Amino acid sequence: MNYSPIKMKELLEKHGFNLKKMFGQNFIVDENIINSIINVSNIDKDTLVIEIGPGAGSLTYKLAQSAKEVLCYEIDTTLKDVLNETLKDCTNVKIIYEDFLKANVIDELKNHDYNKLYVVANLPYYITTPIIVKIIEDGIDVDKMDLMVQKEVGDRFKAKPGTKDYSSLSIYLNYYFNVKKVLDISKNVFLPKPNVDSIVVEFSKKEKIELNNKELFFKLVRDSFTQKRKTLRNNLKEYDLNKIEEILKKYNYDLSVRAEQLDIDIFIDIANNL
């Protein structure tokens, strides 16, 4: 497959394909970046890769060379002719033309034989979080995800306590995964060129700490961040504040602390003792 803006334009024009802003379509046209993504993903012939939004198949083509199988979900059916050409030699690629958010992925995975399940994708910024939440809530047992996302969004995913980007979403993701940045991606490697740079964020499955009540834990976290600049005393008035302060004292905090200063283990301790 040829990787360059000119070749990509020629390919799309050949098949009469027009990029659609509604799907957040920005196709990768830099082979070096794609090779870097493949390298950090550590895909091998025991790996089934789910790719969400293969676009013109730039990343898919390289994934197919490394993985046992690539399962793609593409919402835009007008890409069929483009993908048929770019992936014509890739016998281990299956493309399902369906909205990933509505797909029954668990049932589909029963048709595949694999030892490791990875998700590798270039995700449109407007749908990034819903995709990750679906993977978690549907119980899709991924071992790892390497997701190219808008830098601002990725910074929130990987944020640590005490930083401006740290939020209830950071804690939610950190409960299920170890989250870190693995690559910086310039906006210049896409066609069309977006307004912002991207990063590749890696989500590695982790052993989850036991929760007495998962629903209570996540509600506590959301409520703690309701008004981010307010203290726990103000945000958690409906809870047993005496019990919460008792737990906080173990970590040298009190109810004047803001949620953004507390790591996940403290929230787990509070939730397990309410």
Side-chain angles (χ1 to χ4, degrees):
M1 182 175 176
N2 291 308
Y3 293 88
S4 76
I6 293 174
K7 291 294 184 182
M8 179 64 75
K9 286 177 183 176
E10 289 176 353
L11 172 69
L12 301 182
E13 287 172 3
K14 174 183 174 182
H15 295 287
F17 177 80
N18 296 309
L19 289 150
K20 300 173 184 65
K21 188 173 286 188
M22 64 180 288
F23 292 142
Q25 290 174 332
N26 299 95
F27 297 162
I28 313 172
V29 291
D30 187 303
E31 187 173 12
N32 290 327
I33 288 297
I34 291 173
N35 286 335
S36 295
I37 295 169
I38 299 298
N39 288 337
V40 299
S41 298
N42 291 317
I43 298 161
D44 59 28
K45 292 302 180 181
D46 289 325
T47 309
L48 170 63
V49 176
I50 296 176
E51 185 186 11
I52 302 150
S58 304
L59 177 59
T60 320
Y61 183 81
K62 292 285 188 176
L63 289 170
Q65 293 177 336
S66 300
K68 180 175 185 179
E69 192 176 0
V70 184
L71 175 62
C72 300
Y73 285 86
E74 176 55 62
I75 195 172
D76 189 354
T77 56
T78 66
L79 276 165
K80 281 185 179 180
D81 289 342
V82 174
L83 288 167
N84 285 342
E85 176 173 338
T86 57
L87 303 177
K88 62 181 183 294
D89 297 325
C90 301
T91 58
N92 60 338
V93 174
K94 179 177 180 178
I95 303 173
I96 298 175
Y97 289 95
E98 186 179 357
D99 182 351
F100 179 79
L101 292 177
K102 298 177 181 177
N104 190 330
V105 182
I106 295 292
D107 273 4
E108 175 61 36
L109 289 174
K110 294 173 184 176
N111 302 320
H112 302 267
D113 180 35
Y114 57 90
N115 290 325
K116 292 179 286 186
L117 180 63
Y118 289 0
V119 177
V120 183
N122 168 27
L123 297 180
Y125 75 91
Y126 74 97
I127 206 168
T128 300
T129 300
I131 284 174
I132 298 171
V133 171
K134 175 188 171 64
I135 289 168
I136 292 171
E137 300 298 328
D138 283 8
I140 302 169
D141 190 19
V142 297
D143 295 289
K144 190 172 70 164
M145 302 191 290
D146 286 290
L147 305 178
M148 189 187 307
V149 300
Q150 183 177 326
K151 183 180 184 302
E152 180 183 317
V153 176
D155 285 342
R156 291 202 295 272
F157 291 163
K158 66 180 183 63
K160 302 299 182 187
T163 63
K164 65 180 178 63
D165 292 313
Y166 190 62
S167 67
S168 58
L169 177 61
S170 312
I171 295 173
Y172 173 77
L173 296 175
N174 189 240
Y175 176 72
Y176 294 98
F177 299 102
N178 292 310
V179 186
K180 66 178 182 179
K181 182 186 78 171
V182 291
L183 283 175
D184 289 301
I185 308 289
S186 167
K187 58 189 172 187
N188 297 315
V189 305
F190 296 99
L191 178 76
K193 184 167 74 172
N195 296 323
V196 295
D197 291 327
S198 298
I199 60 175
V200 176
V201 181
E202 184 171 277
F203 300 77
S204 302
K205 184 169 69 173
K206 65 189 286 189
E207 289 293 323
K208 293 183 283 293
I209 300 171
E210 192 66 35
L211 291 171
N212 295 338
N213 185 328
K214 188 185 290 188
E215 187 176 316
L216 171 64
F217 168 71
F218 287 121
K219 183 179 186 303
L220 171 75
V221 171
R222 288 193 303 271
D223 290 343
S224 297
F225 283 89
T226 301
Q227 297 186 68
K228 196 171 181 183
R229 301 311 300 164
K230 290 199 170 184
T231 65
L232 290 193
R233 178 181 284 109
N234 289 318
N235 281 336
L236 300 180
K237 289 178 180 177
E238 65 178 88
Y239 294 81
D240 183 341
L241 291 178
N242 290 329
K243 176 59 72 174
I244 292 174
E245 185 156 49
E246 184 182 318
I247 302 301
L248 287 171
K249 283 180 179 177
K250 291 167 49 179
Y251 302 94
N252 297 316
Y253 291 111
D254 58 34
L255 289 170
S256 66
V257 72
R258 295 188 179 99
E260 65 188 32
Q261 296 171 258
L262 306 180
D263 68 26
I264 187 173
D265 292 332
I266 298 176
F267 282 109
I268 288 173
D269 197 355
I270 293 171
N272 281 348
N273 284 282
L274 285 177

